[in-house]
Amino acid sequence: MLSAFILYQFAHKYRHVYFYAVRYIKMERSMETFWEMPENTADMGTVAWGRRSGQFGNGRLTRTEKLKVLTNLGRMGMLEALDAFRGKLGLINTFGADLEGLQPPETALVRDALDFADEVQNLDLMRHSWRTYYFGLLLGGYRKLTVDKEILFCAAILHDVGLASGRASEPRDCCFVVHGAERCQHHLVGQGHDRAKVHRIADAIGLHLNGYVSARRYGAEAHLISRGAMCDVFGMGQRRIAQNVRKDIFARYPKGKLNDALEIWPGHHLAGTRADFLISLEPSRKKPEGLKARPQPGE
């Protein structure tokens, strides 16, 4: 009974994901030639991965990587279906906490990351970044994960800095997440912060658009940035967070025009990047006529 319900929920809500998964599996079976494939030296989404060149440079995905993104989305869909079923049975013990007790530590790294975010990000991006931090931390609490709040906050507050003002690359020219990870790393290292710690932050930023990020492989912080962002944008995982806490977060950081802040528009991002691929999974989405990127601070 449980398995049947989960499969029904997933098939109904995420049926388009199945369609694309089958499509790309068939494409994989056609076997790409050796020279069409990049050398697999780094995991998808990491800073090192973003620096590869050639046909799959600038964050463009191979067919295998597209299949991996679809697999990750499928995994998230199954988790949501299971949470929905458990919720109906009253089996979810939601996690809640006082937001004041979830504040990031007062360190130089946190201050520099927050100052940089305040300087370049518009209000909707800032509010999304704060919500991502809180949702990520709360979802970590639900799973009883040990979390470095300094790393988590810095990655969360800057995870979309590739869309902020002063960006050196436009989304049509480069994966904005790849650019954002590099931009974050360059800025924080330039402020004199520990390179190893900054690298963890940059990798968490780069990985967050993979659909799902393994806590075991990449650390709790990278996992929770992805979960926090997915929770804010798509509502995935919100059943695990106490309703009064969710209301408090949205009261402090209203959602506003989030889709515009994230520039979620068809044809706006470099073809073949994760953003472009994810947007293509929603064929009904259209860019409003005459809509341009929202003005950023200082513009």
Side-chain angles (χ1 to χ4, degrees), residues 71-84:
T71 301
N72 289 342
L73 292 177
R75 178 172 185 168
M76 290 298 296
M78 292 297 288
L79 288 174
E80 276 300 290
L82 181 58
D83 279 359

Side-chain angles (χ1 to χ4, degrees), residues 22-299:
V22 171
R23 174 184 172 188
Y24 281 101
I25 288 171
K26 289 180 178 178
M27 292 171 67
E28 273 301 294
R29 286 174 179 171
S30 67
M31 292 298 292
E32 295 169 300
T33 56
F34 175 78
W35 55 85
E36 286 180 322
M37 295 297 293
E39 185 180 355
N40 294 320
T41 57
D43 291 348
M44 178 176 68
T46 60
V47 172
W49 173 85
R51 291 173 179 166
R52 72 187 180 189
S53 58
Q55 180 182 353
F56 299 104
N58 292 323
R60 295 184 184 90
L61 301 172
T62 67
R63 290 174 181 175
T64 300
E65 289 165 347
K66 289 179 180 179
L67 179 59
K68 183 175 181 179
V69 171
L70 289 172
T71 301
N72 289 342
L73 292 177
R75 178 172 185 168
M76 290 298 296
M78 292 297 288
L79 288 174
E80 276 300 290
L82 181 58
D83 279 359
F85 182 76
R86 294 170 61 217
K88 289 181 182 296
L89 297 179
L91 298 178
I92 290 186
N93 295 318
T94 58
F95 183 83
D98 181 3
L99 296 190
E100 300 305 323
L102 301 180
Q103 293 298 306
E106 296 183 4
T107 67
L109 180 57
V110 165
R111 287 194 299 272
D112 284 342
L114 182 56
D115 287 346
F116 183 42
D118 275 330
E119 179 184 347
V120 301
Q121 294 185 160
N122 64 34
L123 184 58
D124 285 337
L125 273 183
M126 282 299 295
R127 287 173 171 171
H128 166 60
S129 300
W130 273 102
R131 292 194 304 270
T132 295
Y133 168 69
Y134 283 123
F135 287 143
L137 197 56
L138 289 162
L139 289 170
Y142 175 87
R143 288 189 54 196
K144 297 180 172 58
L145 296 177
T146 300
V147 181
D148 184 327
K149 289 200 292 184
E150 182 184 48
I151 299 293
L152 182 69
F153 176 79
C154 292
I157 206 67
L158 293 172
H159 78 280
D160 283 326
V161 75
L163 296 173
S165 68
R167 60 200 190 200
S169 297
E170 291 299 315
R172 64 178 174 271
D173 301 319
C174 175
C175 171
F176 80 89
V177 186
V178 166
H179 173 55
E182 290 276 12
R183 188 180 183 188
C184 167
Q185 184 164 268
H186 177 76
H187 178 80
L188 294 178
V189 169
Q191 296 295 309
H193 296 292
D194 178 71
R195 287 178 179 272
K197 187 174 289 188
V198 171
H199 184 75
R200 287 178 59 194
I201 295 169
D203 266 353
I205 290 173
L207 288 161
H208 91 268
L209 212 61
N210 284 3
Y212 179 85
V213 178
S214 168
R216 178 186 58 80
R217 185 178 180 90
Y218 303 107
E221 297 75 28
H223 169 74
L224 294 174
I225 292 303
S226 179
R227 288 304 308 264
M230 294 280 278
C231 183
D232 189 45
V233 177
F234 302 111
M236 290 185 167
Q238 64 179 352
R239 293 180 180 86
R240 300 182 176 193
I241 301 172
Q243 185 176 22
N244 66 311
V245 179
R246 297 201 312 267
K247 287 183 177 180
D248 190 9
I249 291 172
F250 282 117
R252 297 190 189 196
Y253 306 100
K255 205 156 192 176
K257 297 181 179 180
L258 181 57
N259 283 354
D260 292 349
L262 296 177
E263 301 179 27
I264 304 177
W265 309 320
H268 182 69
H269 295 264
L270 178 64
T273 59
R274 285 169 293 171
D276 173 73
F277 181 62
L278 290 170
I279 292 171
S280 74
L281 297 180
E282 293 186 80
S284 61
R285 183 181 293 279
K286 296 181 180 179
K287 180 178 178 178
E289 292 184 9
L291 186 61
K292 299 180 180 179
R294 302 189 71 200
Q296 301 287 345
E299 292 185 349

